[in-house]
């Protein structure tokens, strides 16, 4: 179907843009309201989108980690099945990071072709984290994995439904490889239902406006957003910059730091990111695939240029990304990649620091990044537990030119919600005994870094706890004279006689009554603390954010 010569009036384009934006929100609402796991219902670790027949986004989802993956997934499905190989009611599924382009194996993608008048006009799709798809450990995200096969079942893109008929063997395969089959299939069916809503609503729009008009309107939405991004990029001054930062290590076995380095070159509104001097791919799962690096680059640009900018796949030609195959930012199979989140967050620190000179009024220090994640698998006890306790944590933003960093929040790409205490204590044999901001955890500066939080648990049945974190060695960096934020910690028996800190990636066995505590990293400070407004400094002490006698955040 061609729409190149068809012009759609701007009013119709805007009406359809708003209808599709509302549709994506409707899809997300249906999904989280019908989801089975806390990772969907509470954390909302998923995204729902509509893309055109090439796979280009109409609007980016809040979970921006996924934004750039959809194009590559759609292109792969078209390559495998052909533009004419789709039937109404088809649904495809995949979770293979190297074949389906999802961030890591627990992120399962569902994509349905949208057919109108017998032709492809777009795709309705969603990516969502699954509670367990096999692998070495419960939750399928093991910080010590050395290959993707230890991270769970790998599905390249394949049909889950054919012309509306479920291929039950695929569901049976997924269930047979999961420790939590009821939970995983429940979420998968909810996800497929949300995608079906998107497909049906788009088909209704095609019927109301005509398929050719709808396709032409989609083209105009994408190109218009691309023109907006091009105009914003054109305001960047020509120049060169570079920055680097380090992950603590690539896993418990290797204590060598992982270098992330970028050279940024801006010429006449075009931006080149060169990551060639980054470390070789890690033995353990700190590695990233190119779609995630692409998401980080566009995220950093939008943050510094104008947060109101709409991402558009039409802007891809304006950005060149160079990453050597076999490095941590362009890993080759079978390198594991389940700890992608902390790597993305550290990479964004590097990108924003490198881009600061081009947008000094929007400059910012390093954020706390990923506050880590836990999977708790409970053993036998008085309470019957139907699934794992899986939580993903935020941290704090760094201070920036003209503002303090936000405290106790998810940062940058993720937009994930913290699981409420009431849900944890209702669904699992655990008590949350503390949940509070940590004084002095934000780096001091003219603009203070945001405070991180501490969350403490007591398990009431035997439990295996898997923790993945970062920034225990290399704190969030302060900039322009600001001080570093506080490092992260994972403590066993916190405040007790046997208190001890574990490595950033660990697996521990706990008995009933034992406790653990997560302390996320704080944001870096920006600017000389001597220049801080005295009234703001006094409020920090009054509110308990800063202790009056503290000179620097403890490391």
């Amino acid at each position: 179907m061609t729409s190149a010569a068809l012009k759609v009036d701007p009013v119709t384009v805007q009406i359809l843009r708003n209808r599709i934006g509302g549709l994506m929100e409707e899809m997300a609402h249906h999904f989280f309201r019908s989801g089975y796991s806390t990772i969907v219902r509470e954390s909302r670790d998923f995204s729902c989108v509509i893309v055109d027949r090439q796979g280009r986004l109409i609007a980016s989802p809040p979970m921006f980690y996924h934004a750039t993956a959809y194009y590559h997934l759609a292109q792969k499905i078209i390559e495998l099945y052909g533009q004419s190989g789709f039937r109404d009611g088809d649904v495809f599924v995949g979770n293979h990071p190297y074949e389906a382009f999802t961030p890591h194996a627990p992120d399962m993608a569902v994509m349905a072709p949208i057919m109108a008048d017998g032709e492809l006009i777009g795709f309705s799709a969603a990516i969502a984290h699954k509670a367990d798809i096999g692998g070495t450990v419960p939750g399928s995200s093991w910080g010590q994995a050395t290959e993707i096969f230890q991270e769970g079942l790998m599905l390249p893109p394949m049909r889950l439904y054919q012309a509306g008929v479920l291929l039950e063997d695929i569901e049976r395969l997924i269930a047979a490889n999961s420790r939590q089959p009821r939970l995983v299939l429940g979420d998968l069916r909810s996800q497929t239902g949300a995608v079906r809503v998107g497909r049906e609503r788009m088909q209704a729009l095609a019927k109301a406006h005509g398929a050719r008009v709808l396709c032409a309107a989609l083209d105009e939405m994408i190109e218009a957003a691309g023109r907006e991004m091009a105009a914003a990029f054109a305001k960047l001054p020509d120049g060169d910059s570079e920055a680097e930062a380090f992950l603590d290590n690539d896993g418990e076995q290797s204590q060598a730091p992982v270098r992330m380095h970028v050279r940024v070159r801006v010429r006449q509104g075009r931006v080149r990111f060169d990551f060639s001097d980054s470390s070789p791919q890690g033995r353990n799962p700190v590695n990233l695939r190119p779609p995630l690096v692409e998401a980080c680059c566009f995220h950093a640009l939008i943050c510094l240029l104008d947060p109101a900018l709409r991402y558009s796949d039409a802007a891809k030609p304006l950005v060149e990304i160079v990453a050597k195959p076999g490095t941590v930012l362009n890993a080759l199979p079978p390198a594991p990649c389940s700890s992608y989140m902390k790597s993305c967050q550290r990479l964004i620190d590097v990108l924003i620091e490198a881009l600061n000179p081009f947008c000094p009024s929007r400059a910012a220090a390093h954020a706390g990044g990923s506050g880590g994640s836990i999977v708790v698998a409970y053993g036998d006890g008085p309470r019957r537990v139907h699934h794992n306790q899986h939580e993903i944590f935020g941290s704090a933003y760094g201070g920036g030119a003209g503002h303090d960093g936000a405290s106790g929040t998810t940062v940058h790409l993720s937009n994930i919600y913290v699981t409420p205490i009431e849900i944890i204590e209702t669904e699992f044999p655990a008590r949350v005994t503390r949940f509070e901001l940590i004084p002095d955890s934000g780096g001091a500066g003219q603009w203070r870094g945001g405070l991180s939080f501490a969350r403490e648990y007591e398990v009431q049945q035997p439990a295996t706890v898997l923790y993945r974190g970062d920034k225990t060695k290399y704190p969030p960096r302060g900039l322009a004279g600001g001080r570093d934020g506080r490092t992260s910690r994972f403590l066993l028996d916190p405040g007790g006689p046997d208190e001890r800190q574990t490595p950033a990636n660990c697996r521990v066995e706990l008995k009933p009554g034992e406790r653990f505590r997560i302390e996320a990293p704080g944001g870096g400070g920006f600017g000389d603390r001597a220049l801080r407004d005295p009234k703001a400094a006094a409020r920090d002490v009054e509110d308990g954010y800063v202790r009056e006698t503290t000179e620097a955040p403890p490391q």
Side-chain angles (χ1 to χ4, degrees), residues 219-231:
D219 288 341
E220 176 55 27
M221 294 173 203
I222 294 165
E223 296 300 331
R227 290 192 295 270
E228 291 174 8
M229 294 193 75

Side-chain angles (χ1 to χ4, degrees), residues 460-471:
Q460 297 174 323
Q461 289 180 194
T464 299
V465 181
L466 295 112
Y467 170 72
R468 293 178 299 146
D470 187 46
K471 300 192 177 180

Side-chain angles (χ1 to χ4, degrees), residues 171-172 174-175 180-190:
E171 276 202 350
R172 290 175 54 238
I174 294 170
Q180 305 284 341
R182 174 181 171 274
L183 199 66
V184 169
L185 290 187
D187 277 347
L188 178 59
R189 291 164 182 169
S190 298

Side-chain angles (χ1 to χ4, degrees), residues 22-261:
L23 169 56
M24 288 171 56
E25 293 179 5
E26 181 185 359
M27 293 166 64
H29 181 78
H30 278 291
F31 189 16
F32 94 81
R33 292 291 291 176
S34 59
Y36 279 51
S37 67
T38 55
I39 203 72
V40 169
R41 288 187 288 109
E42 307 300 334
S43 300
R44 304 191 195 180
D45 187 357
F46 67 86
S47 63
C48 297
V49 301
I50 299 295
V51 300
D52 77 350
R53 56 201 180 283
Q54 300 175 51
R56 299 182 299 173
L57 278 175
I58 309 305
S60 59
M63 177 63 74
F64 199 74
Y65 281 123
H66 301 163
T68 51
Y70 287 106
Y71 174 81
H72 298 281
L73 174 59
Q75 288 289 309
K76 184 66 173 182
I77 291 174
I78 292 169
E79 174 191 329
L80 290 171
Y81 296 92
Q83 284 272 3
S84 60
F86 303 123
R87 298 172 65 186
D88 191 30
D90 283 355
V91 178
F92 296 87
V93 66
N95 74 323
H96 197 305
Y98 294 90
E99 296 289 333
F101 304 100
T102 58
H104 63 169
D107 284 335
M108 194 168 286
V110 171
M111 182 169 273
I114 303 168
M115 309 300 292
D117 299 332
E119 295 192 56
L120 178 70
I121 64 170
F123 295 90
S124 175
I127 295 174
H129 190 112
K130 297 295 177 285
D132 188 288
I133 44 89
T136 304
V137 299
S140 311
S141 296
W142 186 33
Q144 278 70 56
T146 57
E147 57 182 7
I148 57 171
F149 307 110
Q150 296 168 341
E151 298 179 323
L153 174 69
M154 295 290 156
L155 294 174
M158 61 179 64
R159 278 194 177 94
L160 178 62
Y161 284 76
Q162 186 165 20
V165 178
L166 172 66
L167 303 179
E168 295 184 4
D169 287 351
I170 305 300
E171 276 202 350
R172 290 175 54 238
L173 176 66
I174 294 170
N177 281 275
S178 174
R179 299 172 180 85
Q180 305 284 341
R182 174 181 171 274
L183 199 66
V184 169
L185 290 187
D187 277 347
L188 178 59
R189 291 164 182 169
S190 298
Q191 183 177 356
T192 304
V195 167
R196 185 179 296 117
V197 168
R199 181 184 64 205
E200 291 174 354
R201 299 289 191 273
M202 288 294 291
Q203 287 173 328
L205 287 177
K207 185 175 181 180
H209 295 271
R212 290 186 68 241
V213 170
L214 179 56
C215 287
L218 296 182
D219 288 341
E220 176 55 27
M221 294 173 203
I222 294 165
E223 296 300 331
R227 290 192 295 270
E228 291 174 8
M229 294 193 75
F233 289 5
K235 296 177 182 178
L236 288 169
D238 288 356
D240 299 272
S241 181
E242 63 181 296
E244 69 177 20
F246 295 86
L247 293 170
D248 288 348
N249 52 63
D250 73 348
E252 191 174 346
Q253 286 80 22
S254 170
Q255 294 303 308
V258 178
R259 184 190 194 210
M260 292 185 173
H261 179 276

Side-chain angles (χ1 to χ4, degrees), residues 62 65 97 271 292 320 324 341 405 430 448 475 480:
Y65 281 123
V271 186
L292 279 170
E320 180 186 1
K324 287 181 181 177
M341 185 177 290
R448 174 180 47 76

Side-chain angles (χ1 to χ4, degrees), residues 250-554:
D250 73 348
E252 191 174 346
Q253 286 80 22
S254 170
Q255 294 303 308
V258 178
R259 184 190 194 210
M260 292 185 173
H261 179 276
V262 64
R263 288 187 177 87
V264 178
R265 180 179 182 180
V266 179
R267 296 290 187 275
Q268 297 180 339
R270 295 180 178 270
V271 186
R272 185 177 195 265
F273 297 98
D274 188 344
F275 299 102
S276 298
D277 290 337
S278 297
S279 290
Q281 64 189 44
R283 181 173 184 269
N284 294 127
V286 297
N287 305 295
L288 298 182
R289 298 288 295 127
L292 279 170
V293 177
E294 185 180 0
C296 291
C297 291
F298 275 103
H299 172 83
L301 284 166
I302 291 171
C303 281
L304 288 167
L305 286 169
D306 182 356
L309 272 178
R310 295 174 295 184
Y311 170 76
S312 173
D313 286 312
K316 288 179 184 289
L318 301 175
V319 176
E320 180 186 1
I321 298 173
V322 180
K324 287 181 181 177
T327 60
V328 68
L329 301 179
N330 188 4
L332 299 175
C337 47
S338 63
S339 296
Y340 78 92
M341 185 177 290
K342 67 181 182 182
S343 299
C344 283
Q345 296 284 15
R346 184 62 95 171
L347 178 59
I348 290 173
D349 287 339
V350 174
L351 288 165
I352 289 180
E353 181 177 347
L355 289 168
N356 278 344
F358 299 97
C359 308
S361 64
R362 298 277 305 164
H366 290 199
S370 170
S373 68
I374 57 169
V375 175
V376 187
Y378 290 95
D380 293 336
R383 292 183 60 179
R384 184 179 178 186
V385 184
H386 296 284
H387 52 279
N388 296 331
Q389 177 184 334
H390 193 159
E391 297 182 71
I392 302 172
F393 303 106
S395 56
Y397 276 103
H403 62 87
D404 292 339
S407 299
T409 183
T410 52
V411 302
H412 295 309
L413 294 173
S414 60
N415 290 316
I416 289 175
Y417 293 72
V418 66
T419 305
I421 293 171
E422 295 84 353
I423 295 296
I424 295 299
E425 296 187 345
T426 298
E427 298 195 15
F428 304 103
R431 293 181 60 222
V432 180
T433 55
R434 299 180 77 93
F435 186 29
E436 59 196 6
L437 294 177
I438 304 173
D440 300 313
S441 55
Q446 182 180 6
W447 305 102
R448 174 180 47 76
L451 273 62
S452 62
F453 69 88
R455 186 144 153 142
E456 192 171 305
Y457 300 79
E458 179 182 299
V459 300
Q460 297 174 323
Q461 289 180 194
T464 299
V465 181
L466 295 112
Y467 170 72
R468 293 178 299 146
D470 187 46
K471 300 192 177 180
T472 60
K473 295 180 180 178
Y474 301 97
R477 193 153 59 225
L479 294 179
R483 298 193 179 183
D484 294 346
R486 190 178 190 269
T487 54
S488 66
R489 298 199 301 170
F490 184 80
L491 301 174
L492 301 177
D493 192 29
D498 297 321
E499 178 180 295
R500 61 194 185 280
Q501 181 175 349
T502 73
N505 298 281
C506 66
R507 176 178 181 175
V508 295
E509 305 292 334
L510 298 183
K511 299 175 183 177
E514 292 189 316
R515 294 175 298 120
F516 65 92
R517 177 182 172 97
I518 295 155
E519 296 181 356
F526 190 90
D528 186 347
R529 69 176 298 178
L531 300 176
R532 185 160 179 78
D533 181 352
K535 292 182 180 179
R539 281 197 304 271
D540 287 342
V541 175
E542 181 181 349
D543 293 339
Y545 291 170
V546 173
R547 296 188 183 92
E548 198 164 8
T549 57
T550 299
E551 291 299 319

